[in-house]
Every structure is written in structure tokens, then in C-alpha cells.
Amino acid sequence: VDPLAGKMALFFLVAAGAMGGYAIYFSVCQDVVGRHTALIVGLGGFASWMLIAAANQVVGPWADANGTFVPAITVAGFVPLVAAAAAWLWPRPRIGT
């Protein structure tokens, strides 16, 4: 099996998951504040790009020191896993108490 084919399959799987998240994001924005959906989506996009700009101040020197982006990408890959573990372990509300 060609290793590149496996990497490309994983890349497309991640891309499909990311695109599925957009539909949920837009749906939630419309349900929360229907009249101001564009404002919420715009602020969310602005905030994400500002966080990326701030992160580049840290990641850039770290990548220069290591000679590669692999450690930074590895750390970033664990963020969704930690969030998923926290959501899975979050206590469920007790009904009727």
C-alpha cells in the first residue's frame, strides 16, 4: 500500500469532518440569534483569525528552534481530543432533583 494514499485518505476524512462542522455552526448561529446571524458568523471568523495571528507569534519561533512544525501540529492535534474527553466525562444533569 502506498503511504501517500493513506495520508491522502486521512486528509480527506479530516476535511469532510471539518465541512460537517460548518453546517452545525451555521445552524446554531441561526437558532441563537436569527436576526444577527451574519454578525455572529463575522465575529466568529474575526476571532478565529486573530487567535491564529496570536498563535503564530508563539508557533513561529518554536518551529524555527525545532526546524519543523511537527511538534506544534502534534500539540494542536491533541486539543480536539482533550475537548472530546472533557465532553464525554462531563456529568449529565440529573432530571427531577
Side-chain angles (χ1 to χ4, degrees), residues 21-65:
Y22 285 120
I24 295 168
Y25 172 70
F26 289 130
S27 176
V28 168
C29 289
Q30 290 173 347
D31 286 343
V32 173
V33 184
R35 289 183 49 200
H36 301 291
T37 301
L39 177 65
I40 292 172
V41 171
L43 288 174
F46 171 78
S48 66
W49 282 108
M50 290 300 106
L51 288 172
I52 289 170
N56 281 334
Q57 301 298 316
V58 175
V59 174
W62 189 23
D64 289 340

CSV table of all heavy atoms in Angstrom, one decimal, residues 21-65:
chain,number,residue,atom,x,y,z
A,21,GLY,N,-18.8,20.2,10.3
A,21,GLY,CA,-18.9,21.2,11.4
A,21,GLY,C,-19.4,22.5,11.0
A,21,GLY,O,-20.1,23.2,11.8
A,22,TYR,N,-19.2,22.9,9.8
A,22,TYR,CA,-19.7,24.2,9.3
A,22,TYR,C,-21.2,24.3,9.3
A,22,TYR,O,-21.8,25.3,9.7
A,22,TYR,CB,-19.1,24.6,7.9
A,22,TYR,CG,-17.7,25.0,7.9
A,22,TYR,CD1,-16.7,24.3,7.2
A,22,TYR,CD2,-17.3,26.1,8.7
A,22,TYR,CE1,-15.4,24.7,7.2
A,22,TYR,CE2,-16.0,26.5,8.7
A,22,TYR,CZ,-15.0,25.8,8.0
A,22,TYR,OH,-13.7,26.2,8.0
A,23,ALA,N,-21.8,23.2,8.9
A,23,ALA,CA,-23.3,23.2,8.8
A,23,ALA,C,-23.8,23.3,10.2
A,23,ALA,O,-24.8,24.0,10.4
A,23,ALA,CB,-23.7,21.9,8.2
A,24,ILE,N,-23.2,22.6,11.2
A,24,ILE,CA,-23.7,22.7,12.6
A,24,ILE,C,-23.5,24.1,13.1
A,24,ILE,O,-24.3,24.7,13.8
A,24,ILE,CB,-23.0,21.7,13.4
A,24,ILE,CG1,-23.4,20.3,13.0
A,24,ILE,CG2,-23.3,21.9,14.9
A,24,ILE,CD1,-22.5,19.2,13.5
A,25,TYR,N,-22.3,24.7,12.8
A,25,TYR,CA,-22.0,26.1,13.3
A,25,TYR,C,-23.0,27.1,12.7
A,25,TYR,O,-23.6,27.9,13.5
A,25,TYR,CB,-20.6,26.4,12.8
A,25,TYR,CG,-20.2,27.9,13.1
A,25,TYR,CD1,-20.0,28.3,14.3
A,25,TYR,CD2,-20.0,28.7,12.0
A,25,TYR,CE1,-19.7,29.6,14.6
A,25,TYR,CE2,-19.7,30.0,12.2
A,25,TYR,CZ,-19.5,30.5,13.5
A,25,TYR,OH,-19.1,31.8,13.7
A,26,PHE,N,-23.3,27.0,11.4
A,26,PHE,CA,-24.2,28.0,10.9
A,26,PHE,C,-25.7,27.8,11.4
A,26,PHE,O,-26.4,28.7,11.6
A,26,PHE,CB,-24.2,27.9,9.3
A,26,PHE,CG,-23.0,28.5,8.8
A,26,PHE,CD1,-22.3,27.8,7.8
A,26,PHE,CD2,-22.5,29.7,9.1
A,26,PHE,CE1,-21.1,28.3,7.3
A,26,PHE,CE2,-21.3,30.3,8.6
A,26,PHE,CZ,-20.6,29.5,7.7
A,27,SER,N,-26.0,26.5,11.6
A,27,SER,CA,-27.4,26.2,12.2
A,27,SER,C,-27.5,26.8,13.6
A,27,SER,O,-28.5,27.4,13.9
A,27,SER,CB,-27.6,24.7,12.2
A,27,SER,OG,-28.8,24.4,12.7
A,28,VAL,N,-26.5,26.6,14.4
A,28,VAL,CA,-26.5,27.1,15.7
A,28,VAL,C,-26.6,28.6,15.7
A,28,VAL,O,-27.3,29.2,16.5
A,28,VAL,CB,-25.3,26.6,16.6
A,28,VAL,CG1,-25.2,27.4,17.9
A,28,VAL,CG2,-25.4,25.1,16.8
A,29,CYS,N,-25.8,29.3,14.9
A,29,CYS,CA,-25.8,30.7,14.8
A,29,CYS,C,-27.2,31.2,14.4
A,29,CYS,O,-27.7,32.2,15.0
A,29,CYS,CB,-24.8,31.2,13.7
A,29,CYS,SG,-23.1,31.1,14.3
A,30,GLN,N,-27.9,30.6,13.5
A,30,GLN,CA,-29.2,31.0,13.1
A,30,GLN,C,-30.3,30.7,14.2
A,30,GLN,O,-31.2,31.5,14.4
A,30,GLN,CB,-29.7,30.2,11.8
A,30,GLN,CG,-28.9,30.7,10.6
A,30,GLN,CD,-29.2,29.8,9.4
A,30,GLN,OE1,-29.8,28.8,9.5
A,30,GLN,NE2,-28.8,30.3,8.2
A,31,ASP,N,-30.1,29.7,15.0
A,31,ASP,CA,-31.0,29.4,16.0
A,31,ASP,C,-30.9,30.3,17.2
A,31,ASP,O,-31.9,30.6,17.9
A,31,ASP,CB,-30.9,27.9,16.5
A,31,ASP,CG,-31.4,26.9,15.5
A,31,ASP,OD1,-32.2,27.4,14.6
A,31,ASP,OD2,-31.1,25.7,15.6
A,32,VAL,N,-29.6,30.7,17.5
A,32,VAL,CA,-29.4,31.5,18.7
A,32,VAL,C,-29.9,32.9,18.5
A,32,VAL,O,-30.7,33.5,19.2
A,32,VAL,CB,-27.9,31.5,19.1
A,32,VAL,CG1,-27.6,32.5,20.2
A,32,VAL,CG2,-27.5,30.2,19.5
A,33,VAL,N,-29.5,33.6,17.4
A,33,VAL,CA,-29.9,34.9,17.1
A,33,VAL,C,-30.2,35.0,15.6
A,33,VAL,O,-29.3,35.3,14.8
A,33,VAL,CB,-28.8,36.0,17.5
A,33,VAL,CG1,-29.3,37.4,17.3
A,33,VAL,CG2,-28.4,35.8,19.0
A,34,GLY,N,-31.4,34.7,15.2
A,34,GLY,CA,-31.7,34.7,13.8
A,34,GLY,C,-31.5,36.0,13.0
A,34,GLY,O,-31.1,36.0,11.9
A,35,ARG,N,-31.8,37.1,13.7
A,35,ARG,CA,-31.7,38.4,13.0
A,35,ARG,C,-30.2,38.9,12.8
A,35,ARG,O,-30.0,39.7,12.0
A,35,ARG,CB,-32.4,39.5,13.8
A,35,ARG,CG,-33.9,39.4,13.8
A,35,ARG,CD,-34.6,40.5,14.5
A,35,ARG,NE,-34.1,41.8,14.2
A,35,ARG,CZ,-34.2,42.9,14.9
A,35,ARG,NH1,-34.8,42.8,16.0
A,35,ARG,NH2,-33.7,44.0,14.5
A,36,HIS,N,-29.3,38.3,13.6
A,36,HIS,CA,-28.0,38.8,13.6
A,36,HIS,C,-27.0,37.7,13.2
A,36,HIS,O,-25.8,37.7,13.7
A,36,HIS,CB,-27.6,39.4,14.9
A,36,HIS,CG,-28.4,40.5,15.4
A,36,HIS,ND1,-28.4,41.7,14.7
A,36,HIS,CD2,-29.4,40.6,16.3
A,36,HIS,CE1,-29.3,42.6,15.3
A,36,HIS,NE2,-29.9,41.9,16.3
A,37,THR,N,-27.4,36.7,12.4
A,37,THR,CA,-26.6,35.6,12.0
A,37,THR,C,-25.3,36.1,11.4
A,37,THR,O,-24.2,35.6,11.7
A,37,THR,CB,-27.4,34.7,11.1
A,37,THR,OG1,-28.5,34.2,11.7
A,37,THR,CG2,-26.5,33.5,10.7
A,38,ALA,N,-25.4,37.0,10.4
A,38,ALA,CA,-24.2,37.5,9.7
A,38,ALA,C,-23.2,38.1,10.7
A,38,ALA,O,-22.0,37.9,10.6
A,38,ALA,CB,-24.6,38.5,8.6
A,39,LEU,N,-23.7,38.9,11.7
A,39,LEU,CA,-22.8,39.5,12.7
A,39,LEU,C,-22.1,38.4,13.5
A,39,LEU,O,-20.9,38.5,13.7
A,39,LEU,CB,-23.6,40.4,13.6
A,39,LEU,CG,-22.8,41.1,14.7
A,39,LEU,CD1,-21.8,42.0,14.1
A,39,LEU,CD2,-23.8,41.8,15.6
A,40,ILE,N,-22.8,37.4,13.9
A,40,ILE,CA,-22.2,36.4,14.7
A,40,ILE,C,-21.2,35.6,13.9
A,40,ILE,O,-20.1,35.3,14.4
A,40,ILE,CB,-23.3,35.4,15.3
A,40,ILE,CG1,-24.1,36.2,16.3
A,40,ILE,CG2,-22.7,34.2,15.9
A,40,ILE,CD1,-25.4,35.4,16.8
A,41,VAL,N,-21.5,35.2,12.7
A,41,VAL,CA,-20.6,34.5,11.9
A,41,VAL,C,-19.3,35.3,11.6
A,41,VAL,O,-18.2,34.8,11.6
A,41,VAL,CB,-21.3,34.0,10.5
A,41,VAL,CG1,-20.3,33.5,9.6
A,41,VAL,CG2,-22.3,33.0,10.8
A,42,GLY,N,-19.5,36.6,11.3
A,42,GLY,CA,-18.4,37.5,11.1
A,42,GLY,C,-17.5,37.7,12.3
A,42,GLY,O,-16.3,37.6,12.2
A,43,LEU,N,-18.1,37.8,13.5
A,43,LEU,CA,-17.3,37.9,14.7
A,43,LEU,C,-16.6,36.6,15.0
A,43,LEU,O,-15.4,36.7,15.4
A,43,LEU,CB,-18.2,38.3,15.9
A,43,LEU,CG,-18.7,39.8,15.9
A,43,LEU,CD1,-19.7,40.0,17.0
A,43,LEU,CD2,-17.5,40.7,16.0
A,44,GLY,N,-17.2,35.5,14.7
A,44,GLY,CA,-16.6,34.2,14.9
A,44,GLY,C,-15.4,34.1,14.0
A,44,GLY,O,-14.3,33.6,14.4
A,45,GLY,N,-15.5,34.4,12.7
A,45,GLY,CA,-14.4,34.4,11.8
A,45,GLY,C,-13.3,35.3,12.2
A,45,GLY,O,-12.1,35.0,12.1
A,46,PHE,N,-13.6,36.5,12.6
A,46,PHE,CA,-12.6,37.5,13.0
A,46,PHE,C,-11.9,37.0,14.2
A,46,PHE,O,-10.6,37.1,14.2
A,46,PHE,CB,-13.3,38.9,13.4
A,46,PHE,CG,-12.4,39.8,14.0
A,46,PHE,CD1,-11.5,40.6,13.2
A,46,PHE,CD2,-12.5,40.1,15.4
A,46,PHE,CE1,-10.7,41.5,13.8
A,46,PHE,CE2,-11.6,41.0,16.0
A,46,PHE,CZ,-10.7,41.7,15.2
A,47,ALA,N,-12.6,36.5,15.2
A,47,ALA,CA,-11.9,36.0,16.4
A,47,ALA,C,-11.0,34.8,16.1
A,47,ALA,O,-9.9,34.7,16.6
A,47,ALA,CB,-13.0,35.5,17.4
A,48,SER,N,-11.4,33.9,15.2
A,48,SER,CA,-10.5,32.8,14.8
A,48,SER,C,-9.2,33.3,14.1
A,48,SER,O,-8.2,32.8,14.4
A,48,SER,CB,-11.3,31.8,14.0
A,48,SER,OG,-11.6,32.3,12.7
A,49,TRP,N,-9.3,34.2,13.2
A,49,TRP,CA,-8.1,34.7,12.6
A,49,TRP,C,-7.2,35.5,13.5
A,49,TRP,O,-6.0,35.5,13.4
A,49,TRP,CB,-8.5,35.6,11.4
A,49,TRP,CG,-8.9,34.8,10.2
A,49,TRP,CD1,-10.1,34.6,9.7
A,49,TRP,CD2,-8.0,33.9,9.4
A,49,TRP,NE1,-10.1,33.7,8.6
A,49,TRP,CE2,-8.8,33.3,8.4
A,49,TRP,CE3,-6.7,33.7,9.4
A,49,TRP,CZ2,-8.3,32.4,7.5
A,49,TRP,CZ3,-6.1,32.8,8.5
A,49,TRP,CH2,-6.9,32.1,7.6
A,50,MET,N,-7.8,36.2,14.5
A,50,MET,CA,-7.0,36.9,15.5
A,50,MET,C,-6.3,35.9,16.4
A,50,MET,O,-5.1,36.1,16.8
A,50,MET,CB,-7.9,37.9,16.3
A,50,MET,CG,-8.4,39.0,15.6
A,50,MET,SD,-7.0,40.1,14.9
A,50,MET,CE,-7.1,39.7,13.2
A,51,LEU,N,-6.9,34.8,16.7
A,51,LEU,CA,-6.3,33.8,17.5
A,51,LEU,C,-5.1,33.1,16.7
A,51,LEU,O,-4.1,32.8,17.3
A,51,LEU,CB,-7.3,32.7,18.0
A,51,LEU,CG,-8.2,33.2,19.0
A,51,LEU,CD1,-9.3,32.1,19.3
A,51,LEU,CD2,-7.5,33.4,20.3
A,52,ILE,N,-5.3,32.9,15.4
A,52,ILE,CA,-4.3,32.4,14.6
A,52,ILE,C,-3.1,33.3,14.5
A,52,ILE,O,-1.9,32.9,14.6
A,52,ILE,CB,-4.8,32.0,13.2
A,52,ILE,CG1,-5.8,30.8,13.2
A,52,ILE,CG2,-3.7,31.8,12.2
A,52,ILE,CD1,-6.5,30.6,12.0
A,53,ALA,N,-3.4,34.6,14.4
A,53,ALA,CA,-2.3,35.6,14.3
A,53,ALA,C,-1.5,35.6,15.6
A,53,ALA,O,-0.3,35.7,15.6
A,53,ALA,CB,-2.9,37.0,14.0
A,54,ALA,N,-2.2,35.5,16.8
A,54,ALA,CA,-1.5,35.5,18.1
A,54,ALA,C,-0.7,34.2,18.2
A,54,ALA,O,0.4,34.2,18.8
A,54,ALA,CB,-2.5,35.6,19.2
A,55,ALA,N,-1.3,33.1,17.8
A,55,ALA,CA,-0.6,31.8,17.9
A,55,ALA,C,0.7,31.8,17.1
A,55,ALA,O,1.7,31.1,17.4
A,55,ALA,CB,-1.5,30.6,17.5
A,56,ASN,N,0.7,32.5,15.9
A,56,ASN,CA,1.9,32.5,15.1
A,56,ASN,C,3.0,33.1,15.8
A,56,ASN,O,4.2,32.8,15.5
A,56,ASN,CB,1.6,33.2,13.8
A,56,ASN,CG,0.8,32.3,12.8
A,56,ASN,OD1,0.9,31.1,12.9
A,56,ASN,ND2,0.1,32.9,11.9
A,57,GLN,N,2.8,34.0,16.7
A,57,GLN,CA,3.9,34.6,17.5
A,57,GLN,C,4.6,33.6,18.3
A,57,GLN,O,5.8,33.8,18.7
A,57,GLN,CB,3.3,35.8,18.3
A,57,GLN,CG,2.7,36.9,17.5
A,57,GLN,CD,3.6,37.6,16.5
A,57,GLN,OE1,4.7,37.9,16.9
A,57,GLN,NE2,3.1,37.8,15.3
A,58,VAL,N,3.9,32.6,18.7
A,58,VAL,CA,4.5,31.5,19.6
A,58,VAL,C,5.0,30.4,18.7
A,58,VAL,O,6.1,29.9,18.9
A,58,VAL,CB,3.4,31.0,20.6
A,58,VAL,CG1,4.0,29.8,21.4
A,58,VAL,CG2,3.0,32.1,21.5
A,59,VAL,N,4.2,30.0,17.8
A,59,VAL,CA,4.5,28.8,16.9
A,59,VAL,C,5.7,29.0,16.0
A,59,VAL,O,6.5,28.1,15.8
A,59,VAL,CB,3.3,28.3,16.2
A,59,VAL,CG1,3.6,27.2,15.2
A,59,VAL,CG2,2.2,27.9,17.1
A,60,GLY,N,5.8,30.2,15.5
A,60,GLY,CA,6.9,30.5,14.5
A,60,GLY,C,8.2,30.3,15.1
A,60,GLY,O,9.1,29.6,14.6
A,61,PRO,N,8.5,31.0,16.3
A,61,PRO,CA,9.9,30.8,16.9
A,61,PRO,C,10.1,29.3,17.4
A,61,PRO,O,11.2,28.8,17.3
A,61,PRO,CB,9.8,31.7,18.1
A,61,PRO,CG,8.8,32.8,17.7
A,61,PRO,CD,7.8,32.1,16.9
A,62,TRP,N,9.0,28.7,17.8
A,62,TRP,CA,9.1,27.3,18.2
A,62,TRP,C,9.5,26.4,17.0
A,62,TRP,O,10.4,25.6,17.2
A,62,TRP,CB,7.8,26.8,18.9
A,62,TRP,CG,7.8,25.5,19.5
A,62,TRP,CD1,8.9,24.9,20.1
A,62,TRP,CD2,6.7,24.7,19.8
A,62,TRP,NE1,8.5,23.7,20.6
A,62,TRP,CE2,7.2,23.5,20.5
A,62,TRP,CE3,5.4,24.7,19.5
A,62,TRP,CZ2,6.4,22.5,20.9
A,62,TRP,CZ3,4.6,23.7,19.9
A,62,TRP,CH2,5.1,22.6,20.6
A,63,ALA,N,8.9,26.6,15.9
A,63,ALA,CA,9.2,25.9,14.7
A,63,ALA,C,10.6,26.2,14.2
A,63,ALA,O,11.3,25.3,13.8
A,63,ALA,CB,8.2,26.2,13.6
A,64,ASP,N,11.0,27.5,14.3
A,64,ASP,CA,12.4,27.8,13.9
A,64,ASP,C,13.4,27.1,14.8
A,64,ASP,O,14.5,26.7,14.4
A,64,ASP,CB,12.6,29.3,14.0
A,64,ASP,CG,11.9,30.1,12.9
A,64,ASP,OD1,11.5,29.4,11.9
A,64,ASP,OD2,11.7,31.3,13.1
A,65,ALA,N,13.1,27.0,16.1
A,65,ALA,CA,14.0,26.4,17.1
A,65,ALA,C,14.1,24.9,16.8
A,65,ALA,O,15.2,24.3,16.9
A,65,ALA,CB,13.6,26.6,18.5
